[in-house]
Amino acid sequence: MATDETLQALQQLVMLSILQLDEEAYGALIQQELEERAGRSVAIATIYVTLSRLEKRGMVESWLGEPTPVRGGRSKRYYRVTEEGRDALEATRSELDRMWAGLGHEKAAR
Amino acid sequence: MNNPRPPRLAARLLVLLLPAPHRDQILGDLREGFALRVARDGRLRPRLWYWRQLLSTDLLLLHREARTTAPRPAPRRKNVTMIFDGITTDLAYALRGLRKTPLFTITTLTTLALGIGLSTAIFTAVNAVLLRPLPYPDGDELVMVFRTVPRFEMARSVASYPDFVDWRERVSTLDDIAAYGYAEATWLGDDGAEKWTGRRVTRNLLALLGAEPAHGRGFTEAEDRAGGPAAIILSHGVWQTRFGADPAILGTSLRFDDETRTVVGVMPAGFAFPGPETSFWLPLRGDVARMERDTNFLQVIGRLADGSTVADAQREIETLAATIDAEVPGANDGYGIFVETRRDFVVRGARQALWVFAGAVALVFLIACSNVANLMLVRATARGGEMSLRVALGAGRGRLFRLLLTESALIAAVGGALGVGTAWLLLRLALVLAEGQLPRSGDIRLDAGALGFSLVLSAGCALVFGAAPAWSRLRTPTRAGAGVSGTAGGSSRGRRAAQHALVALQVALALILVLSAALLMNSFVRLTSIDPGFDPRGVVAGRVALPDDAPPEMDMDDMTATEMATAMRNRVEARDGFVRELLQQAGASPSVEAIGVSYGLPLGPSSFSRTMIPAGAEATEEESPAIPGNIVGGDYFDAMGMRLLAGRAFDNTDRFDAPPVMLVNETLAATFWPGESPLGQRVRIGGPDNPWVTVVGVVADVRDASLAADPQPRYYRSLAQVAWPDALFVVVRSGADTEETVASLRAAVARLDARLPLTDVTTTAGLVDSALAAPRLRTALLTLFGALATALALIGTYGTVSHVVADRRHELGVRLAIGARGSDLIGQVLAREMRPVLIGVVMGLTGTTLAARLLAGFLFGVGPFHPGTYVAAATAMVIVLGIACYVPARRAATVPPNEALRAQ
């Protein structure tokens, strides 16, 4: 299991899509963002499992939004990355950067 | 369309399966995502996407996640949600476990799908063909009444109209009795002549069957009387394809070559009596005064009276026949009576074959089951440690039992679903392969019964494979922690014995199938290498009805013998003129090598038999044997590629008023005149008062009745000397391809008489081929089953030995370390693991001697106890399974000892 600081790849990806979506992040859009930007087709249940775990660790927070007709009258749950979450993301990134340092551009470029 | 709805079933399932805290959001997200994808990707891919969302295994994880987030529901109460809760956890666990062991999962599912699929398919076929009632109200009350002719070995022969009338008037075990006879009619439509086949029926037939026309009416009494108005009832098929389903057809007149008939009714779709090829029904117009007692042409069908059985009817009609015989001497000489249900009559040829296949499939299913049982056993032991740990941590036995049962139920459910799919595919394939060989095949479809059957099979599998190992595991005392390492299972000895028993069983069953298949294959090879006595390549045949310009029924009673002979001669000469013309026209093409005509074809339709009394034998007609014959003209023997062995073929001197002559085959010559020359011998054909016929030639035997039957005695007469044939096959041997030959034959017939259609077009190669079709299908199917069984037994044995060897890895390592030789260890392992295989082989050989009895009717040239086949199959089995044992044994014995020791 991940410790407090480390984030699994999917958790990072989900949090990054939330940041990319900026205040407009909810399940369907996160799923789409992951598909279009990261090229990963992730089942909605998996996304919610991840979100639920992140929320329990205080990395993201959520609130209920308004129902819309295109959703068959069901409401959205919006997500936002908390300060704590941003810190964890930054930490993970610098960890990775340090590990990548000096491995040469050809390999790192990918 | 701006708000497309996702697949309804998937959405409903999601509502059921999603945990409440996330349900609304996820459904909304999915709906939105679906709409977006529809706009982007069209219709199909978004649907697949949606289903994939449902099938994600994380759905179950989400449940657990949601539970730990949400406040726990009130203290432990046994309510519905609690049970559901437990089941979802178990399901999640089972799914995860299966996903972690893909090899186990795929093997088990494939095996189950095959086993259940095959069983469901054969169940469906047996049920539809043999078990389900015929598609008539109270169809099981319908019986057929036949005359039997023991002398001709005919078990189901037709009856005459006077016979039928006698039975109708006196029988009490049948509520109603009707008769029908074969009919052909050439419809003169706007686009040319077209030949239809149908039946002449007594007026009460439709009512007896419980059927009535969908449009119009049945026949009236006046229509069923000789000389009454000419009426016809059409089949739904003809009405649709020829008359555009026009209801106005009722009351219109259709022109046929012999008569103009008024359409009085159209039968409903699905009514196909006596078979799907029937296009029309005519009134029989029975007339006792005009129809003679020795003119047998009627099939008789009845409906059992309440409380009567088939045996009652059999007894009563037998007695009736004897009474009639006393009243009308000679009426039933040499005849018997045979009553059987209509259903038995319809499926008579298919019954044995279907049961043999059902037996074979049952064996495959048993092997599949024992394989799954074996896999489950192995899995259960592999998880022994885990289970002990769970018990140690406080899991109740019931809870563990449920966990194991959930897993096997899941496997069985998925396996069953795949099995139904497999069955559907197999049935479609089988119907193509068995086309024309299986009665009632139109009734075969996957129905509720079949689904129920596969459900029962799956449920049975789940219970047996889940509950049995679980039960045995739970009964053995578990020492906490003892099994954690996974090797010290409490019942390893018992389990190994069970595995060995399963191996022996699999080997035995597989060997039975392999041997049966080998016997059939052996027969088939012999069958194909038989010389049919003629050369079937490049021969095309088609049937032509001969034009009959004489008055339909000559009133012979009013003629003097001379007048009759003259009339007969004129008729034969007119007919021969037509045939000569036809042979000349059709034979004009340079590609034609030989052309002739004949009444019947070998392995084909239109055979007849006549009694034959050789000169010097003092036999009455009843005692003399009936010999099958054929009437031939032109260069028939050359066209068929038959060999003339002695004497001469027919020639132009054999005219109607020349001395009657005949040709015989080798078997007839050897039967009648053993050791003598048949040439010049004389026989009377068809009765002691008929003229002597002289043998002028001998031809080689031809397999006429079937390829498998030994050639029978057979005689040939020249068409020029026989008056009665009214339709003939034109037989053409040609260098051109079949279609070309058929086309030019058709053209030649049409040039002579546009009203004459060419029917029953066939090639003799096709006749040979269709004579081989049934044995080929049988052989192919049984070989397939045998191969499947062997593959399954192979997997089973290999799996067991691998497992046993893996279990003993530590021990083998120790022995290697202290100096045992690898080859000795392999030998020991083999000696031990081959024992169940050998036991299985012995059991299989014994089993086959029992099963082969069923096969005896399908074998040709090999007995059911053919030793060579037995030895070969058993040896092959031992070698194949020996390899399956050797490979894992070798692997274990060549592992470096230190590695093997670490395996602990």
Side-chain angles (χ1 to χ4, degrees):
Chain A
M1 261 294 145
T3 64
D4 269 5
E5 294 84 36
T6 54
L7 291 171
Q8 291 168 359
L10 185 61
Q11 291 174 332
Q12 293 180 51
L13 288 175
V14 167
M15 285 168 72
L16 287 169
S17 1
I18 298 175
L19 289 172
Q20 291 284 357
L21 289 163
D22 194 29
E23 300 293 318
E24 268 293 321
Y26 58 92
L29 287 191
I30 296 172
Q31 193 180 23
Q32 204 190 332
E33 189 75 14
L34 284 174
E35 195 175 312
E36 282 170 6
R37 210 184 272 267
R40 282 183 65 152
S41 171
V42 185
I44 195 79
T46 310
I47 292 175
Y48 272 86
V49 167
T50 311
L51 285 171
S52 168
R53 284 178 180 166
L54 286 172
E55 192 165 14
K56 259 183 268 173
R57 287 169 61 186
M59 303 282 180
V60 299
E61 54 191 14
S62 69
W63 67 96
L64 271 183
E66 75 289 358
T68 59
V70 74
R71 298 171 62 85
R74 301 184 191 272
S75 53
K76 303 168 183 170
R77 180 169 287 274
Y78 286 104
Y79 288 86
R80 181 167 55 204
V81 179
T82 59
E83 280 307 308
E84 214 177 323
R86 276 177 194 274
D87 291 348
L89 265 180
E90 291 292 345
T92 312
R93 181 181 177 170
S94 58
E95 234 175 60
L96 283 175
D97 284 348
R98 283 198 298 279
M99 293 309 290
W100 275 108
L103 285 180
H105 275 295
E106 296 83 29
K107 286 179 191 167
R110 290 176 49 86
Chain B
M1 260 314 191
N2 54 356
N3 194 4
R5 299 182 71 89
R8 195 181 303 182
L9 177 64
R12 292 239 173 102
L13 286 172
L14 274 170
V15 171
L16 280 176
L17 292 176
L18 283 171
H22 296 293
R23 189 179 297 145
D24 260 20
Q25 284 75 53
I26 292 187
L27 284 171
D29 282 337
L30 283 178
R31 181 104 182 225
E32 195 178 327
F34 182 75
L36 198 130
R37 282 172 174 78
V38 167
R40 195 183 58 195
D41 303 334
R43 295 208 63 81
L44 180 66
R45 281 177 51 188
R47 294 179 81 83
L48 288 174
W49 173 84
Y50 199 96
W51 273 101
R52 238 183 4 251
Q53 304 299 313
L54 164 67
L55 296 176
S56 146
T57 48
D58 279 347
L59 212 54
L60 296 149
L61 213 54
L62 191 58
H63 262 275
R64 190 178 298 177
E65 204 59 43
R67 250 198 322 278
T68 52
T69 325
R72 276 203 171 272
R76 294 188 144 261
R77 262 185 301 129
K78 287 249 170 190
N79 60 18
V80 181
T81 42
M82 274 296 300
I83 292 170
F84 190 70
D85 232 36
I87 289 178
T88 40
T89 320
D90 286 353
L91 265 180
Y93 185 79
L95 257 181
R96 197 139 52 89
L98 292 179
R99 268 188 13 167
K100 259 200 223 154
T101 49
L103 196 64
F104 165 82
T105 309
I106 291 171
T107 317
T108 319
L109 286 181
T110 316
T111 312
L112 269 183
L114 264 178
I116 294 179
L118 274 173
S119 310
T120 307
I122 197 83
F123 167 82
T124 310
V126 168
N127 185 35
V129 177
L130 299 183
L131 305 179
R132 217 182 295 146
L134 294 173
Y136 308 106
D138 296 317
D140 283 343
E141 293 172 6
L142 297 175
V143 295
M144 300 295 296
V145 184
F146 297 101
R147 298 211 311 175
T148 64
V149 194
R151 189 157 44 108
F152 293 177
E153 291 178 7
M154 285 158 79
R156 298 180 181 86
S157 182
V158 282
S160 71
Y161 188 70
D163 278 329
F164 165 69
V165 170
D166 285 333
W167 298 342
R168 184 176 64 190
E169 278 166 9
R170 305 186 201 190
V171 77
S172 66
T173 48
L174 301 179
D175 264 347
D176 198 2
I177 183 167
Y180 58 94
Y182 182 79
E184 285 177 353
T186 305
W187 173 55
L188 307 175
D190 296 335
D191 305 333
E194 192 173 281
K195 193 159 100 176
W196 296 347
T197 62
R199 292 294 184 274
R200 292 183 182 280
V201 304
T202 55
R203 202 167 78 81
N204 62 336
L205 179 80
L206 293 184
L208 182 142
L209 293 173
E212 53 186 32
H215 306 278
R217 54 171 176 82
F219 298 120
T220 63
E221 212 166 305
E223 286 160 353
D224 196 18
R225 215 174 296 139
I232 185 169
I233 294 179
L234 299 180
S235 73
H236 185 81
V238 162
W239 180 53
Q240 287 226 308
T241 55
R242 300 296 183 277
F243 304 106
D246 181 5
I249 188 81
L250 291 178
T252 60
S253 298
L254 301 186
R255 263 181 356 108
F256 290 90
D257 55 343
D258 56 341
E259 206 171 7
T260 297
R261 298 187 171 90
T262 307
V263 179
V264 300
V266 175
M267 291 310 288
F271 180 83
F273 186 91
E277 77 293 343
T278 316
S279 305
F280 65 88
W281 296 267
L282 304 175
L284 182 64
R285 294 172 163 178
D287 185 349
V288 182
R290 292 172 63 89
M291 293 179 170
E292 291 173 18
R293 206 172 271 279
D294 54 7
T295 308
N296 297 309
F297 68 108
L298 289 176
Q299 307 259 29
V300 177
I301 183 170
R303 191 177 272 281
L304 286 173
D306 278 349
S308 298
T309 64
V310 172
D312 294 339
Q314 166 88 36
R315 259 194 311 274
E316 189 194 14
I317 301 176
E318 258 173 17
T319 319
L320 268 178
T323 323
I324 297 166
D325 201 27
E327 292 166 13
V328 189
N332 285 305
D333 260 4
Y335 295 106
I337 296 292
F338 177 54
V339 181
E340 70 180 332
T341 63
R342 169 93 192 154
R343 185 166 63 181
D344 286 350
F345 169 63
V346 170
V347 302
R348 63 196 180 283
R351 179 184 304 271
Q352 203 190 357
L354 271 178
W355 284 124
V356 166
F357 292 147
V361 166
L363 294 186
V364 175
F365 181 68
L366 279 178
I367 298 174
C369 283
S370 64
N371 234 346
V372 174
N374 204 347
L375 286 166
M376 290 288 202
L377 267 176
V378 171
R379 188 174 171 79
T381 23
R383 288 165 62 181
E386 176 204 325
M387 292 297 149
S388 306
L389 192 59
R390 278 168 182 269
V391 173
L393 291 177
R397 299 221 154 157
R399 190 70 186 69
L400 280 190
F401 191 70
R402 202 176 74 184
L403 184 71
L404 290 173
L405 203 58
T406 308
E407 188 178 283
S408 60
L410 186 67
I411 291 177
V414 178
L418 291 174
V420 171
T422 313
W424 182 80
L425 275 176
L426 287 172
L427 281 175
R428 291 192 58 135
L429 191 71
L431 286 182
V432 174
L433 288 177
E435 190 171 8
Q437 293 184 51
L438 190 61
R440 301 185 73 188
S441 57
D443 295 349
I444 298 180
R445 64 188 74 89
L446 274 184
D447 54 7
L451 293 182
F453 180 78
S454 61
L455 194 69
V456 168
L457 283 188
S458 319
C461 289
L463 267 177
V464 173
F465 302 142
W471 188 247
S472 76
R473 169 135 293 280
L474 295 178
R475 273 192 355 189
T476 50
T478 320
R479 284 164 293 145
V484 175
S485 64
T487 50
S491 58
S492 115
R493 180 184 292 266
R495 190 205 64 232
R496 202 167 290 167
Q499 281 186 323
H500 281 159
L502 285 175
V503 166
L505 179 72
Q506 288 186 341
V507 172
L509 298 176
L511 185 59
I512 292 179
L513 282 174
V514 167
L515 252 174
S516 308
L519 286 171
L520 280 183
M521 217 187 284
N522 202 332
S523 310
F524 187 70
V525 169
R526 280 161 206 253
L527 214 51
T528 47
S529 56
I530 271 186
D531 172 17
F534 58 93
D535 180 4
R537 283 159 305 172
V539 180
V540 170
R543 203 150 78 124
V544 182
L546 299 175
D548 188 359
D549 296 326
E553 275 167 76
M554 288 184 291
D555 208 346
M556 300 200 193
D557 294 346
D558 295 345
M559 285 188 185
T560 65
T562 338
E563 277 171 352
M564 209 153 84
T566 315
M568 197 81 100
R569 195 183 58 224
N570 290 342
R571 210 169 134 179
V572 169
E573 277 172 2
R575 190 197 62 191
D576 286 353
F578 173 81
V579 170
R580 247 195 318 277
E581 190 84 1
L582 176 61
L583 291 180
Q584 203 168 17
Q585 289 264 358
S589 154
S591 57
V592 172
E593 292 160 18
I595 183 167
V597 291
S598 70
Y599 182 72
L601 291 178
L603 302 171
S606 307
S607 66
F608 63 90
S609 299
R610 291 282 186 277
T611 54
M612 191 172 284
I613 311 170
E618 294 305 319
T620 64
E621 198 194 345
E622 267 74 58
E623 289 158 345
S624 52
I627 307 289
N630 198 359
I631 316 285
V632 304
D635 294 328
Y636 172 76
F637 295 112
D638 286 343
M640 284 306 277
M642 288 167 64
R643 296 184 299 278
L644 183 70
L645 301 179
R648 63 169 178 91
F650 299 122
D651 59 31
N652 288 336
T653 60
D654 302 318
R655 290 140 70 92
F656 191 66
D657 31 21
V661 293
M662 66 191 276
L663 268 64
V664 298
N665 70 354
E666 297 166 78
T667 306
L668 191 147
T671 313
F672 275 31
W673 304 286
E676 289 176 63
S677 166
L679 298 179
Q681 303 280 8
R682 296 184 308 160
V683 298
R684 290 192 199 273
I685 297 176
D689 304 329
N690 287 341
W692 289 109
V693 184
T694 310
V695 177
V696 296
V698 181
V699 291
D701 282 338
V702 167
R703 303 261 166 174
D704 273 296
S706 84
L707 285 175
D710 286 332
Q712 293 173 294
R714 179 169 284 256
Y715 74 93
Y716 300 86
R717 303 255 355 236
S718 167
L719 179 68
Q721 294 190 330
V722 183
W724 57 264
D726 52 1
L728 292 171
F729 280 99
V730 184
V731 181
V732 186
R733 173 174 296 277
S734 165
D737 69 24
T738 307
E739 269 154 52
E740 213 173 294
T741 314
V742 172
S744 68
L745 187 54
R746 237 182 247 291
V749 173
R751 269 199 303 278
L752 278 178
D753 190 336
R755 288 172 310 160
L756 294 181
L758 186 73
T759 60
D760 303 299
V761 174
T762 181
T763 62
T764 46
L767 290 174
V768 173
D769 201 55
S770 45
L772 287 172
R776 183 186 297 125
L777 182 64
R778 280 198 293 268
T779 310
L781 276 179
L782 226 60
T783 307
L784 175 74
F785 295 154
L788 268 178
T790 312
L792 288 173
L794 195 69
I795 294 172
T797 311
Y798 179 84
T800 304
V801 177
S802 303
H803 182 239
V804 167
V805 167
D807 245 17
R808 291 179 57 194
R809 208 170 162 164
H810 181 64
E811 172 216 325
L812 293 176
V814 170
R815 291 167 66 174
L816 275 178
I818 58 178
R821 277 213 317 242
S823 56
D824 290 345
L825 289 187
I826 296 179
Q828 281 174 24
V829 171
L830 270 185
R832 205 159 136 179
E833 301 306 322
M834 281 303 279
R835 208 178 310 151
V837 171
L838 294 176
I839 293 174
V841 166
V842 173
M843 279 163 49
L845 289 174
T846 322
T848 310
T849 56
L850 301 174
R853 251 170 262 257
L854 279 176
L855 279 180
F858 296 145
L859 296 181
F860 168 77
V862 265
F865 308 114
H866 189 250
T869 310
Y870 275 53
V871 170
T875 313
M877 202 73 172
V878 169
I879 290 175
V880 167
L881 295 183
I883 295 172
C885 290
Y886 178 76
V887 172
R890 196 186 121 82
R891 198 181 329 124
T894 49
V895 171
N898 58 341
E899 197 177 302
L901 287 174
R902 248 185 281 127
Q904 173 74 319

